């Protein structure tokens, strides 16, 4: 029995060394207790076997300060791309966006990001006692937490990219591209990214848009692809279709982490840790079943994806995130594109801010500028739309927008021309702008207000703020 205990300890240290090499109070206590056992009675009774355990433990402790897999990213790995398929060529020469590379290449890059930056870093100890849902989750299950955050960021980013499309056609094209990416993730057996993109397409801010899903929206082909994905990832019957597909899929493959964590949670809650807690009688049956689930999950780490990394595309995909106060902001964006009760056929052009809005609006629009700034109609329309979006997070949106408009009237434009150029919302002489107005900023930059200092006034007409 003593020899078997020492063999188990040796295997534990060699195969699950993160339990001993990680820095933390619980790990330190574990090492102290194990060291006391090795240097005590075990050394006296079984010196040879104990020395072997001691050597393995010392090697593990010496490697504690060295770089481990948990600190690596894609750039730190030496890829053997001899058997990798060639990278696909960009489809346009402009700045990086979701349309630059084919959907299959984007899915490939998602695979190597998910595998090398997240999945391969998961450690067995993180799955026990549902550590990812406890108070100290960032210390006890840091890699699972990173996986969860990545899933949510990617899902929210899908919403951001679709809503930031300036025209109906662009939004439809981006929606179709994300459907294609999700479908390619399925083909590559990356079920976590598949479910993340699929969840983004099903968020209310996107799902409610009739212009995307109704007549004149995404093509019939993409509807069929999405229907297939919806059937595969259906949550009824414990996602049995997904389970069957994933179990039959050849590696490399990445599971949908949500259902894996759910299975471990049910196993943990469904059986007691001890058969007799008073006498410390461990429920080995429960932990053996738990080990089977976790072991099957972690064995998938042994089969990496072999694709050629594209650095620019990797950086672009790694920066994926949602809006600040995402759910609220995304829904207000959606309402601006397609108000409640509309038929969804209007083409609404606007210039949205970056995904995270943190700038002071008075600085952003230079309200306290000493010199008046004269604007032409397209620039005013663009600023108008940006103000509507940024101030949309306030409860008193109409009052805030009107107040800011008065500041523009008082400070930025000469008094002689302010009444004709920047009339208040209540002025009967002004008329609201139409979504199809020629003043829409189709040629303006979507990320800058388009302000310019001009010393001579030019003829311009005021584009009024959109309601809502």
């Amino acid at each position: 029995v003593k020899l078997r205990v020492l063999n188990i300890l040796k295997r534990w240290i060699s195969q699950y060394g993160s339990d001993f090499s990680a820095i933390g109070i619980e790990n330190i206590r574990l090492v102290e207790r194990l060291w006391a056992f090795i240097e005590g009675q075990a050394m006296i009774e079984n010196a040879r076997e104990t020395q072997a355990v001691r050597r393995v433990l010392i090697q593990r402790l010496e490697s504690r300060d060295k770089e481990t897999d948990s600190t690596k990213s894609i750039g730190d790995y030496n890829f053997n791309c001899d058997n990798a398929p060639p990278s696909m060529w960009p489809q346009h020469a402009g700045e990086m966006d979701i349309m630059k590379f084919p959907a299959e290449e984007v899915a490939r890059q998602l695979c190597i990001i998910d595998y090398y930056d997240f999945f391969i870093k998961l450690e067995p100890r993180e799955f026990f006692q549902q550590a990812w849902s406890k108070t100290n989750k960032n210390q006890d299950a840091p890699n699972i937490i990173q996986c969860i955050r990545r899933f949510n960021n990617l899902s929210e980013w899908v919403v951001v990219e679709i809503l930031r499309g300036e025209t109906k056609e662009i939004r439809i094209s981006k929606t179709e591209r994300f459907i294609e990416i999700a479908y390619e993730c399925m083909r590559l057996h990356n079920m976590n990214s598949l479910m993340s993109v699929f969840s983004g397409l099903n968020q209310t801010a996107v799902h409610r848009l009739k212009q995307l899903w109704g007549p004149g929206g995404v093509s019939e082909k993409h509807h069929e692809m999405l229907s297939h994905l919806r059937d595969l990832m259906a949550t009824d019957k414990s996602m049995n279709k997904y389970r069957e597909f994933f179990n039959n899929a050849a590696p490399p493959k990445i599971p949908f982490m949500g259902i894996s964590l759910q299975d471990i949670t049910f196993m943990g809650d469904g059986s007691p840790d001890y058969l007799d807690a008073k006498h410390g009688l461990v429920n080995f049956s429960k932990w053996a079943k738990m080990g089977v689930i976790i072991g099957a999950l972690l064995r998938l780490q042994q089969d990496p994806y072999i694709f050629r990394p594209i650095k620019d595309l990797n950086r672009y995909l790694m920066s994926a995130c949602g809006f600040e106060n995402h759910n609220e902001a995304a829904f207000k964006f959606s309402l601006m594109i397609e108000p409640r009760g509309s038929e969804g056929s209007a083409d609404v052009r606007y210039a949205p801010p970056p995904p995270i809005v943190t700038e002071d609006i008075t600085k952003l629009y230079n309200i306290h500028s000493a010199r008046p700034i004269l604007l032409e109609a397209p620039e005013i329309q663009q600023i108008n739309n940006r103000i509507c979006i940024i101030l949309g997070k306030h409860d008193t949106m109409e009052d805030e927008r009107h107040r800011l408009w008065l500041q523009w009237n008082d400070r930025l434009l000469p008094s002689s021309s302010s009444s004709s150029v920047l009339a208040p919302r209540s002025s009967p002489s002004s008329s609201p702008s139409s979504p199809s107005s020629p003043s829409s900023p189709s040629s303006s930059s979507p990320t800058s207000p388009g302000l310019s200092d001009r010393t001579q006034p030019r003829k311009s007409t005021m584009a009024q703020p959109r309601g809502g």
Side-chain angles (χ1 to χ4, degrees), residues 121-163:
K121 298 179 181 179
L122 297 176
E123 299 177 356
R125 62 184 177 85
E126 299 183 54
F127 294 93
F128 290 104
Q129 302 294 337
Q130 301 173 37
W132 65 89
S133 62
K134 301 299 174 59
T135 304
N136 295 325
K137 58 186 177 183
N138 291 319
Q139 291 75 38
D140 297 337
N143 299 305
I144 292 180
I145 296 302
Q146 288 300 319
C147 282
I148 294 172
R149 288 173 180 166
R150 169 63 180 175
F151 181 95
N152 293 334
N153 284 339
L154 186 61
S155 179
E156 292 174 355
W157 174 70
V158 171
V159 177
V160 171
E161 284 295 309
I162 293 174
L163 295 183

Side-chain angles (χ1 to χ4, degrees), residues 81-95:
C81 297
D82 294 341
N83 298 322
S87 300
M88 297 183 177
W89 289 94
Q91 295 180 320
H92 65 75
E95 295 183 357

Side-chain angles (χ1 to χ4, degrees), residues 242-253:
Y242 155 76
R243 294 176 188 275
E244 181 180 359
F245 174 86
F246 188 76
N247 291 335
N248 294 330
K253 55 184 179 180

Side-chain angles (χ1 to χ4, degrees), residues 217-327:
V218 300
S219 67
E220 186 65 26
K221 169 188 173 183
H222 290 87
H223 270 297
E224 292 176 0
M225 294 168 67
L226 189 62
S227 177
H228 179 75
L229 297 177
R230 185 178 293 111
D231 183 62
L232 175 64
M233 304 305 292
T235 56
D236 60 329
K237 298 181 181 178
S238 189
M239 297 190 72
N240 64 329
K241 291 185 178 180
Y242 155 76
R243 294 176 188 275
E244 181 180 359
F245 174 86
F246 188 76
N247 291 335
N248 294 330
K253 55 184 179 180
I254 297 177
F256 169 39
M257 290 301 299
I259 199 67
S260 299
L261 296 178
Q262 177 182 295
D263 291 343
I264 295 172
T265 299
F266 287 166
M267 179 64 66
D269 293 342
S271 303
D273 294 344
Y274 294 91
L275 296 176
D276 188 346
K278 182 178 179 180
H279 296 90
L281 185 59
V282 177
N283 186 355
F284 279 101
S285 176
K286 169 186 174 175
W287 296 112
K289 294 177 181 177
M290 189 84 75
V292 170
I293 297 174
I294 299 173
L297 183 68
L298 297 182
R299 274 194 296 274
L300 299 175
Q301 295 176 333
Q302 301 172 9
D303 297 292
Y305 282 95
I306 307 298
F307 296 120
R308 302 174 191 271
I310 301 176
K311 290 185 178 180
D312 290 343
L313 182 54
N314 262 281
R315 282 195 293 267
Y316 175 72
L317 294 174
M318 281 295 292
S319 66
C321 64
F323 295 110
E324 186 178 33
N325 302 321
H326 176 79
N327 291 334

Side-chain angles (χ1 to χ4, degrees), residues 199-211:
S199 298
L201 293 170
N202 280 283
Q203 285 194 24
T204 304
V206 172
H207 189 67
R208 64 175 293 275
L209 297 178
K210 299 175 184 176
Q211 58 179 247

Side-chain angles (χ1 to χ4, degrees), residues 299-417:
R299 274 194 296 274
L300 299 175
Q301 295 176 333
Q302 301 172 9
D303 297 292
Y305 282 95
I306 307 298
F307 296 120
R308 302 174 191 271
I310 301 176
K311 290 185 178 180
D312 290 343
L313 182 54
N314 262 281
R315 282 195 293 267
Y316 175 72
L317 294 174
M318 281 295 292
S319 66
C321 64
F323 295 110
E324 186 178 33
N325 302 321
H326 176 79
N327 291 334
E328 180 183 357
F331 192 72
K332 288 181 177 179
F333 260 76
S334 181
L335 288 176
M336 291 184 66
I337 295 171
E338 190 174 300
R340 288 188 178 95
S342 69
E343 295 300 323
S345 58
D347 182 19
V348 182
R349 292 173 179 263
Y350 60 90
I356 300 180
V357 180
T358 57
E359 297 173 290
D360 185 337
I361 194 167
T362 60
K363 295 179 181 178
L364 181 63
Y365 293 110
N366 197 20
I367 286 177
H368 301 288
S369 174
R371 182 166 48 170
I373 300 175
L374 302 180
L375 308 170
E376 297 207 21
E379 296 168 319
I380 293 175
Q381 177 67 34
Q382 184 181 9
I383 294 169
N384 176 8
N385 292 332
R386 286 175 60 82
I387 291 173
C388 290
I389 293 168
I390 294 175
L391 293 181
K393 61 184 179 182
H394 294 283
D395 293 334
T396 57
M397 178 173 59
E398 293 290 339
D399 294 339
E400 288 286 338
R401 191 187 308 154
H402 187 55
R403 178 188 63 77
L404 186 59
W405 227 248
L406 292 178
Q407 283 187 313
W408 276 94
N409 186 41
D410 294 339
R411 300 187 183 189
L412 293 186
L413 298 175
S415 59
S416 60
S417 60

